[in-house]
Amino acid sequence: WLSGLGYCSWHGISCHSRGGGGEGSASALPENNDVDYYVSSLNLTSNNLNGIIPHEIYTAFPKLRVLDISKNELGGTIGREIGLLVHLQG
């Protein structure tokens, strides 16, 4: 994740074109493409995460469709801000 590549190239992140095009994967997107794409899916499954879900997850990705945080050690309550993720699919 700490490479010079844009976040759309990171493992566990899928992005969607702001211009209405399709979803992209790391191999299909140009380097540092963050301006033209938004995060549509965040898969953090089995990443040894613990604690509470950061509130920034609700505000940093307003068009998030998929959020998978299963198989981690997260606790606490889900913030009311999750209601901001109006595109989230069940």
Side-chain angles (χ1 to χ4, degrees):
W1 279 28
L2 298 176
S3 72
L5 300 176
Y7 53 74
C8 290
S9 299
W10 297 350
H11 177 76
I13 293 181
S14 296
C15 291
H16 206 86
S17 171
R18 292 186 191 277
E23 190 168 346
S25 65
S27 61
L29 297 175
E31 288 187 16
N32 206 2
N33 50 33
D34 300 343
V35 175
D36 296 327
Y37 292 83
Y38 63 87
V39 174
S40 58
S41 175
L42 184 56
N43 183 343
L44 299 174
T45 302
S46 300
N47 273 272
N48 295 316
L49 302 175
N50 57 58
I52 62 169
I53 301 170
H55 291 278
E56 291 81 7
I57 214 98
Y58 310 123
T59 57
F61 309 114
K63 294 186 178 185
L64 195 64
R65 295 177 185 174
V66 176
L67 175 61
D68 191 344
I69 51 176
S70 61
K71 300 181 182 176
N72 286 291
E73 297 294 324
L74 296 168
T77 59
I78 296 174
R80 292 187 314 208
E81 297 91 346
I82 197 161
L84 298 172
L85 299 176
V86 297
H87 301 286
L88 202 60
Q89 301 171 356

